[in-house]
Amino acid sequence: MSGQKQTPVKRIPNGVKFLFGGAAGMGATFFVQPLDLVKNRMQLSGMGGEAREHKTSFHAVRSILKNEGIFGIYSGLSAGLLRQATYTTTRLGIYTILFDMVSGDGKPPNFFTKAAIGMTAGAIGAFVGTPAEISLIRMTADGRMPAESRRNYKNVFDALIRITKEEGVVTLWRGCIPTVARAMVVNAAQLASYSQAKQFLLSTSYFQDNILCHFGASMISGLVTTAASMPVDIAKTRIQNMRIVDGKPEYKGALDVLVNVVRKEGFFSLWKGFTPYYARLGPHTVLTFIFLEQMNKIYAIYVLQDKRASGGL
């Protein structure tokens, strides 16, 4: 009947979406921080023309355990958690808001729209998260340095305070451009490929909207994202860890890093650390999206009283 009022669609409040995004990323970080450490060490190995410290990821793990102990594998955890609290909170919160805005009549947007909103969310999140990112890079790199050259940050807040005091507040955003570029690539690939992979899996007769489907979509998304983002990531990592020698930075910019890596270490060195990167990004993607989907679903069912709710990505 035309006089009937349509029941308004209940949506998760934007503040809750931001909270869930950050909580999901921080939960995943507890599991994958050691892999992030190994990835960073692999990418810094060979920096400045020095001999490569680690030929394989397994060699890197063995070296860390031998030289820094069992707790050394969790170096930089506080920075990793703050990075998720800033970067992931912002990017996933903005992505889910934009996703809802462009979803007409309950239909998901097409792949290119997903990629565009993923890039937007990633760029904003990366800018917010760069100070924590640079702290994470330095804290995970410290154990590979000679004792006299180590920065020895006590935790991420000590790192942020000392960087500001010793090098100026602008240094907290050093490497911001490649960080934002990487985040745009990662989020365009990760968020769009996750949504697309999930949509594809649900179109088959083998999957339902459950944890198994979220796991499969996350692993596909992680592989696509790793291949697409590693060259930008290695540029970001080296710029954020570089030192200023006699007033001159080691690298002029991201392009200079890429040119130097290809010339001195070979083209495929742009994907150096692929195994720990995917081993980190795959599970992190899986855990983040599983946590996020489940939190969205639980909130919708128990707070919004929507018994038919799904995860919403």
Side-chain angles (χ1 to χ4, degrees):
M1 291 177 64
S2 57
Q4 278 186 326
K5 290 184 179 179
Q6 287 188 333
T7 305
V9 177
K10 295 180 179 179
R11 297 189 183 277
I12 299 174
N14 291 341
V16 175
K17 289 179 179 178
F18 278 83
L19 176 66
F20 284 175
M26 291 174 76
T29 293
F30 274 108
F31 294 92
V32 302
Q33 178 65 21
L35 297 167
D36 211 19
L37 172 67
V38 173
K39 183 268 292 184
N40 287 342
R41 293 284 178 90
M42 289 289 290
Q43 289 185 333
L44 294 170
S45 178
M47 185 176 175
E50 62 191 20
R52 288 180 62 173
E53 299 166 85
H54 309 302
K55 297 178 181 178
T56 67
S57 304
F58 298 107
H59 179 258
V61 171
R62 192 172 63 209
S63 175
I64 292 166
L65 290 173
K66 179 182 176 183
N67 298 324
E68 300 166 55
I70 188 70
F71 292 109
I73 206 76
Y74 269 93
S75 296
L77 178 62
S78 61
L81 291 173
L82 183 63
R83 179 179 179 273
Q84 296 301 321
T86 51
Y87 167 63
T88 302
T89 297
T90 305
R91 73 171 180 123
L92 288 182
I94 289 175
Y95 182 79
T96 51
I97 290 169
L98 294 177
F99 190 93
D100 284 345
M101 287 174 60
V102 299
S103 297
D105 300 323
K107 295 179 181 177
N110 62 40
F111 178 82
F112 294 104
T113 303
K114 290 172 188 170
I117 62 176
M119 289 174 71
T120 303
I124 297 170
F127 181 81
V128 172
T130 295
E133 178 94 24
I134 198 168
S135 302
L136 175 63
I137 296 298
R138 291 185 174 196
M139 290 175 76
T140 54
D142 222 26
R144 66 184 285 273
M145 306 291 288
E148 66 276 7
S149 301
R150 292 178 185 174
R151 296 179 170 106
N152 293 318
Y153 299 134
K154 296 173 185 175
N155 52 55
V156 65
F157 300 108
D158 180 49
L160 294 173
I161 291 167
R162 281 183 50 194
I163 290 169
T164 302
K165 189 160 55 175
E166 295 168 10
E167 303 172 58
V169 69
V170 177
T171 305
L172 293 175
W173 277 270
R174 177 185 290 169
C176 184
I177 292 174
T179 301
V180 168
R182 172 194 173 275
M184 292 175 74
V185 172
V186 165
N187 284 274
Q190 186 185 61
L191 297 174
S193 63
Y194 176 81
S195 293
Q196 202 68 24
K198 180 183 170 186
Q199 197 175 321
F200 168 75
L201 292 176
L202 289 174
S203 70
T204 70
S205 57
Y206 303 105
F207 290 91
Q208 295 179 331
D209 194 354
N210 54 26
I211 288 180
L212 179 62
C213 175
H214 304 160
F215 177 83
S218 297
M219 291 306 291
I220 294 169
S221 171
L223 189 61
V224 171
T225 306
T226 299
S229 65
M230 279 211 73
V232 189
D233 190 70
I234 197 170
K236 173 198 72 68
T237 299
R238 293 199 177 188
I239 286 175
Q240 291 181 326
N241 188 60
M242 72 179 179
R243 292 180 179 273
I244 308 299
V245 182
D246 297 328
K248 293 183 179 179
E250 292 179 73
Y251 298 108
K252 299 173 184 175
L255 186 60
D256 186 40
V257 175
L258 298 177
V259 170
N260 270 280
V261 169
V262 172
R263 190 173 70 234
K264 296 177 181 177
E265 303 168 48
F267 178 73
F268 290 104
S269 289
L270 294 176
W271 285 270
K272 185 189 294 180
F274 185 95
T275 302
Y277 191 99
Y278 180 61
R280 180 247 180 220
L281 187 63
H284 195 275
T285 303
V286 169
L287 292 167
T288 298
F289 282 126
I290 285 177
F291 290 157
L292 183 59
E293 294 259 21
Q294 294 307 304
M295 285 189 285
N296 284 343
K297 190 172 183 178
I298 289 168
Y299 187 92
I301 291 173
Y302 293 103
V303 179
L304 301 181
Q305 300 295 308
D306 182 1
K307 303 300 181 184
R308 300 167 299 169
S310 63
L313 276 178

